[in-house]
Amino acid sequence: MTTHHPSSAQAAPVTTPAPDPAAGRAVHAADRAHVFHSWSAQGQIDPLAVAGAEGSFFWDYEGKRYLDFTSGLVFTNIGYGHPKVVAAIQEQAAKLCTFAPAFAIEARSEAARLIAERTPGDLDKIFFTNGGADAVEHAVRMARVHTGRPKVLSAYRSYHGGTQQAINITGDPRRWASDTGTGGVVHFHAPHLYRTPFYSETEEQECERALAHLEQTIVYEGPQTVAAVILETIPGTAGIMMPPPGYLAGVRELCDKYGVVFILDEVMAGFGRTGTWFAADLYDVVPDLMTFAKGVNSGYVPLGGVAISAKIAETFENRPYPGGLTYSGHPLACAAAVATIETMAEEGIVEHAAHLGENVIGPALRELAERHPSVGEVRGTGVFWALDLVRDKETREPLVPYNATGAANAPMADFAATAKRGGLWPFVNMNRTHVVPPCTITEAEFKEGLAVLDEALTAADAHTTAGSGTDAGRPQAG
């Protein structure tokens, strides 16, 4: 495969400014006094004060530089501060900074056109939102109005957003505190051979049994009550579990069989992250609705949306769609999207991500797994990878219990602290670390991060049965 290199402007960070610890203390103090952080016990966090960012790196006010293996929250697909996107935002601000969504605006129209050019099948109408959660909210609303049915089926290992409907659809523990049990949501098990709920021994068995389970769920719930099945094409925060061959096509067939709308959530996986424009391209499947956000403009200005098939769009040709947003298709966000998509195409960033996954990241992570007893499984594609960390490779017992906190989470905290000391900012969720740097990361930068990751995994190894000399307990959910 030909190696594709992103813009030289993104190849390395600029020289970090002179340290200014006093400014950093002031930023941190104001944050602690006034900012209420998401998903956190406010008195138990100590957020890092960030002074700047460029490309694949950011730095604090002490002058310490970090290689960002998280891409923010897996959204800076073209890295921090790409000059072409920054310039596009500046130009749009001077031209038409904001305007109501009922009008035809050049940046909005062009962003929609460029997105529709890249979405699979006939997903040619674009409804813009402010982010991924409200994209999911509106996709579900569209499905319910289109079908006249109330229920939505989603997977347990999933995350679809923090708004009320999206959090009910979510399958991970962040749902629990807000789950009313009346959200019209039914959860099911999606395939995941490494921690199979179906006692499968092969990917083929896992696919077949997962599809049978989903069909049984639809039948038992009453197909006439099911509006939609929603799946992350490749689940992100839940663990980057690659669906087995044939699974998504099988879900498509079940949805067609029972008249159910098929929604794919590409908020995290879309726009180059998987080495394709959308993860759906890897599986040759076309949903009825597809949500997106994050990578559409690298998070430079909040933007999300729903790509809508002709069948769903027809429902609203002469019937008003009952939903909207003040900032739907905000000109600054859309201008950033136009510049991001054009830059990704011009600089071969999607192809670069595919090359990294196949020839650099994948092989390097699999080599780490061979040497570290804490790495149970490596999975992923493009610049979208997860390491499943375990206490024991034979039992597959997770390195920490499901949804662990406090002392129970000490092994993962030790892993993360070691990485940060080495200048690597890791993505950590439960017993996993995800390797999700910007799609523009260079091979040299990745290898720099890999060396630190190696050290952090050595710290994790100390908490395994091989490292501690203790017997493993029973396998747990994870």
Side-chain angles (χ1 to χ4, degrees):
M1 177 183 290
T2 301
T3 301
H4 296 265
H5 296 285
S7 165
S8 59
Q10 296 294 290
V14 297
T15 302
T16 59
D20 190 351
R25 288 192 294 271
V27 170
H28 186 271
D31 177 284
R32 294 292 66 225
H34 303 294
V35 177
F36 193 93
H37 285 261
S38 58
W39 307 118
S40 301
Q42 303 303 302
Q44 297 179 15
I45 58 174
D46 184 24
L48 179 71
V50 175
E54 181 84 22
S56 301
F57 295 85
F58 66 89
W59 51 90
D60 63 20
Y61 286 88
E62 304 289 335
K64 184 174 177 62
R65 188 186 73 160
Y66 296 91
L67 177 58
D68 188 3
F69 261 29
T70 74
S71 295
L73 281 175
V74 198
F75 58 71
T76 53
N77 288 13
I78 60 168
Y80 293 103
H82 197 295
K84 293 179 183 177
V85 183
V86 172
I89 295 169
Q90 293 170 331
E91 291 168 9
Q92 184 64 43
K95 178 180 180 180
L96 187 65
C97 193
T98 189
F99 218 80
F103 296 83
I105 303 299
E106 181 182 10
R108 185 181 298 144
S109 301
E110 182 64 1
R113 184 186 71 81
L114 289 173
I115 294 166
E117 277 186 354
R118 288 159 175 81
T119 51
D122 64 347
L123 300 175
D124 293 333
K125 291 289 183 74
I126 308 299
F127 177 78
F128 286 113
T129 66
N130 298 326
D134 47 353
V136 169
E137 294 275 341
H138 285 280
V140 168
R141 188 178 305 177
M142 289 175 188
R144 283 174 167 158
V145 174
H146 173 75
T147 61
R149 301 172 179 179
K151 293 178 185 174
V152 178
L153 274 54
S154 69
Y156 277 109
R157 294 184 179 98
S158 69
Y159 180 73
H160 295 286
T163 50
Q164 186 60 22
Q165 184 65 69
I167 199 64
N168 272 264
I169 291 168
T170 288
D172 79 20
R174 284 174 286 184
R175 179 188 85 249
W176 297 346
S178 303
D179 190 346
T180 62
T182 59
V185 178
V186 177
H187 290 97
F188 62 93
H189 291 291
H192 179 30
L193 182 61
Y194 188 68
R195 301 196 182 281
T196 176
F198 305 114
Y199 303 97
S200 303
E201 296 180 353
T202 66
E203 291 281 11
E204 292 78 11
Q205 286 181 350
E206 186 74 355
C207 178
E208 179 182 354
R209 294 173 186 182
L211 287 171
H213 163 68
L214 175 56
E215 181 164 26
Q216 184 180 59
T217 303
I218 293 172
V219 169
Y220 283 176
E221 287 297 327
Q224 73 279 6
T225 72
V226 179
V229 171
I230 183 169
L231 287 169
E232 292 172 274
T233 312
I234 300 174
T237 305
I240 311 184
M241 294 87 69
M242 305 287 289
Y247 178 71
L248 292 177
V251 175
R252 172 75 273 178
E253 291 175 5
L254 288 176
C255 288
D256 290 341
K257 178 178 179 178
Y258 293 106
V260 172
V261 172
F262 187 22
I263 305 172
L264 282 181
D265 182 338
E266 292 256 1
V267 168
M268 190 174 284
F271 292 97
R273 177 59 51 186
T274 63
T276 52
W277 280 101
F278 293 98
D281 300 335
L282 296 171
Y283 299 98
D284 195 26
V285 64
V286 181
D288 301 301
L289 297 167
M290 189 165 73
T291 63
F292 62 86
K294 293 186 183 285
V296 65
N297 63 9
S298 255
Y300 283 30
V301 183
L303 183 67
V306 185
I308 308 165
S309 67
K311 179 175 63 176
I312 305 293
E314 177 63 28
T315 296
F316 303 106
E317 278 296 300
N318 296 297
R319 174 183 184 178
Y321 172 62
L325 306 93
T326 298
Y327 305 122
S328 177
H330 193 285
L332 292 184
C334 287
V338 170
T340 296
I341 294 168
E342 290 180 341
T343 298
M344 292 181 80
E346 292 166 3
E347 298 183 3
I349 291 172
V350 178
E351 294 84 356
H352 179 68
H355 159 70
L356 287 175
E358 182 177 351
N359 302 309
V360 182
I361 300 177
L365 295 182
R366 285 188 281 269
E367 191 275 331
L368 281 184
E370 292 178 1
R371 292 192 289 105
H372 288 282
S374 59
V375 181
E377 185 178 51
V378 174
R379 48 186 183 261
T381 186
V383 193
F384 200 39
W385 293 83
L387 303 181
D388 199 310
L389 303 187
V390 296
R391 287 196 69 235
D392 186 282
K393 286 195 177 189
E394 293 300 318
T395 67
R396 303 184 181 180
E397 179 189 356
L399 190 64
V400 297
Y402 188 72
N403 204 35
T405 58
N409 194 51
M412 291 303 296
D414 190 13
F415 164 85
T418 304
K420 291 173 185 178
R421 282 195 298 271
L424 178 72
W425 202 266
F427 187 111
V428 174
N429 184 266
M430 298 193 191
N431 69 305
R432 299 179 305 277
T433 186
H434 295 186
V435 178
V436 285
C439 299
T440 50
I441 192 170
T442 66
E443 292 185 28
E445 289 168 348
F446 172 74
K447 289 175 182 176
E448 177 183 330
L450 186 71
V452 182
L453 181 61
D454 196 355
E455 296 175 7
L457 290 172
T458 299
D461 292 343
H463 299 278
T464 65
T465 55
S468 64
T470 60
D471 292 329
R474 295 189 177 195
Q476 302 176 38

